[in-house]
Amino acid sequence: MTSVYQTHDHHHCISEALQEARTLCQRSGARLTHLREKVLELVWQSHRPIGAYDILAELAKQEERVAQPPTVYRALDFLMEQGLIHRLSSLNAFIGCPHPGKKHNGCFLICQNCRVTQEIEHQAINQSIASCATDQGFKITDAAIELTGLCSNCQEAQE
Amino acid sequence: MTSVYQTHDHHHCISEALQEARTLCQRSGARLTHLREKVLELVWQSHRPIGAYDILAELAKQEERVAQPPTVYRALDFLMEQGLIHRLSSLNAFIGCPHPGKKHNGCFLICQNCRVTQEIEHQAINQSIASCATDQGFKITDAAIELTGLCSNCQEAQE
DNA sequence: CGCGCTTTAGTTATAATATAACATCTTTGA
DNA sequence: TCAAAGATGTTATATTATAACTAAAGCGCG
Ligand SMILES: [Zn+2]
Ligand SMILES: [Zn+2]
Ligand SMILES: [Zn+2]
Ligand SMILES: [Zn+2]
């Protein structure tokens, strides 16, 4: 089995993500400013989660003005509010959402070797979690499901 | 519906957790030193996750010597290795494991109002996650499932 | 346009969480 | 009793995140 992201045109991922972000923001009246779009682009520079300070470092390379942490965190907060990116709390890092625009609880498969991270929508997981919450009389507002391990690629490589 | 932890003898929880820790460590040859046991006791002071620096502050109150961060983090690392506590990455905090001694992927229900956190073993969740991983050819080594929301108690209180 | 209001970004400082590196003490077992 | 391993102490610093205030940009309205 090979990874979904082993061979693909990643420029396509980026441009699609940016285009969809523009569309969604226009629709909702949110202002996708230059800075915010730039940060989104940097988050999408790979399928690996990226830390706020890594984004800051990239911004320093690519932009005129040298940004400070609050600038980056505010852009990230905006992008999270718009559902364009997710924060992975087990890594203190951020990753682009491949299907923004609809509410969802992603389940993340994080490879500890290559760090490539895949967001999955899995019905059975969502259902079992919902029923677990119901059993306990618990009302979920946010679900963080972060699975760390080895992706299929990296398993093969280790054989 | 009322919370599991609404009315109970919490001294019993603490002493049971400490006793079980002693037994498990003796069995495995791990050294549950005074410091480590003290930190475990502090983690168990409630059913709410506690941060490393809160533990540090408690230690400062209760012990002769004033400990430094590495001291606390090392004790926490030990307790995690022994499976006696879990770290909740969405809170940067730690909580005692109610059923240590056997490998398990806990699922945590974290109340955002009262902060009481319950660890659940849920077969359907474990199964759906295992099948999700299988589908993707992903080999899980660690699963963090942290569900934030309102416990039954706090829902009642808000009505 | 020109003025005020709101939103966004810049700036400075600091909080909160976590670890590196090395020194010292304690336990253990030969 | 002594050497090795393990645990803790100590100092410094890395990493992640936010508070608080200032300045600039965008927007609506007369
Ligand atoms: Zn791609
Ligand atoms: Zn998503
Ligand atoms: Zn209790
Ligand atoms: Zn547990």
Side-chain angles (χ1 to χ4, degrees):
Chain A
M1 193 178 301
T2 62
S3 160
V4 237
Y5 298 129
Q6 193 171 15
T7 62
H8 76 291
D9 176 13
H10 187 59
H11 293 295
H12 179 68
C13 298
I14 298 176
S15 61
E16 194 172 348
L18 294 181
Q19 191 48 57
E20 194 156 11
R22 285 183 209 110
T23 305
L24 287 170
C25 286
Q26 195 153 44
R27 196 172 296 163
S28 72
R31 284 162 60 187
L32 187 63
T33 61
H34 169 71
L35 175 71
R36 289 164 172 177
E37 187 172 324
K38 188 69 202 174
V39 169
L40 180 59
E41 187 188 330
L42 288 172
V43 169
W44 268 100
Q45 82 185 206
S46 78
H47 292 280
R48 298 175 172 86
I50 184 172
Y53 280 76
D54 295 327
I55 292 170
L56 197 57
E58 283 299 316
L59 276 180
K61 286 184 203 165
Q62 299 184 18
E63 302 283 287
E64 305 286 321
R65 296 168 164 279
V66 176
Q68 296 301 315
T71 300
V72 170
Y73 280 102
R74 281 188 293 230
L76 290 169
D77 286 345
F78 169 85
L79 295 170
M80 280 194 289
E81 274 164 24
Q82 302 303 313
L84 297 169
I85 64 173
H86 297 290
R87 180 172 189 273
L88 297 175
S89 61
S90 63
L91 296 176
N92 293 334
F94 303 82
I95 193 160
C97 177
H99 40 63
K102 45 174 183 179
K103 276 270 157 50
H104 61 275
N105 283 339
C107 165
F108 297 90
L109 301 177
I110 305 166
C111 180
Q112 62 204 163
N113 185 245
C114 68
R115 303 192 344 274
V116 165
T117 295
Q118 198 184 348
E119 179 178 350
I120 303 281
E121 268 308 310
H122 200 277
Q123 264 334 100
I125 292 179
N126 289 341
Q127 280 169 17
S128 60
I129 283 180
S131 81
C132 170
T134 305
D135 291 352
Q136 308 295 324
F138 191 90
K139 194 170 178 181
I140 297 177
T141 55
D142 184 58
I145 304 170
E146 302 178 18
L147 311 178
T148 302
L150 281 181
C151 72
S152 50
N153 257 346
C154 292
Q155 286 170 58
E156 285 169 14
Q158 291 191 348
E159 277 162 13
Chain B
M1 192 178 304
T2 63
S3 160
V4 236
Y5 297 129
Q6 192 172 12
T7 62
H8 77 289
D9 176 12
H10 188 59
H11 293 295
H12 181 69
C13 298
I14 297 175
S15 59
E16 194 172 349
L18 293 181
Q19 191 49 57
E20 194 157 9
R22 285 182 208 110
T23 305
L24 287 170
C25 286
Q26 195 153 43
R27 197 172 295 162
S28 71
R31 284 162 61 185
L32 187 63
T33 61
H34 170 72
L35 175 70
R36 288 163 173 177
E37 188 171 324
K38 187 71 204 173
V39 170
L40 181 59
E41 188 189 330
L42 289 172
V43 169
W44 269 101
Q45 82 185 206
S46 78
H47 292 281
R48 297 175 172 86
I50 184 172
Y53 280 76
D54 295 327
I55 292 171
L56 197 56
E58 284 298 316
L59 277 179
K61 286 185 203 162
Q62 300 184 17
E63 301 283 286
E64 304 286 322
R65 296 168 164 280
V66 176
Q68 297 301 314
T71 299
V72 170
Y73 279 102
R74 281 189 294 230
L76 290 169
D77 285 345
F78 170 86
L79 296 170
M80 280 194 288
E81 274 165 24
Q82 302 303 314
L84 298 168
I85 64 173
H86 297 290
R87 180 172 189 275
L88 297 175
S89 61
S90 64
L91 296 176
N92 294 333
F94 302 83
I95 192 159
C97 177
H99 39 64
K102 48 175 181 177
K103 277 271 155 53
H104 60 276
N105 284 339
C107 166
F108 297 90
L109 301 178
I110 306 166
C111 181
Q112 62 204 160
N113 185 246
C114 67
R115 302 191 346 274
V116 165
T117 295
Q118 198 184 350
E119 180 177 349
I120 303 280
E121 268 306 314
H122 201 277
Q123 264 333 102
I125 292 179
N126 289 341
Q127 280 169 17
S128 60
I129 282 179
S131 81
C132 169
T134 304
D135 291 353
Q136 308 294 325
F138 191 90
K139 193 171 177 181
I140 297 177
T141 56
D142 183 60
I145 304 171
E146 302 178 19
L147 311 178
T148 301
L150 281 181
C151 72
S152 50
N153 257 346
C154 292
Q155 285 171 59
E156 285 170 15
Q158 290 191 349
E159 276 162 14

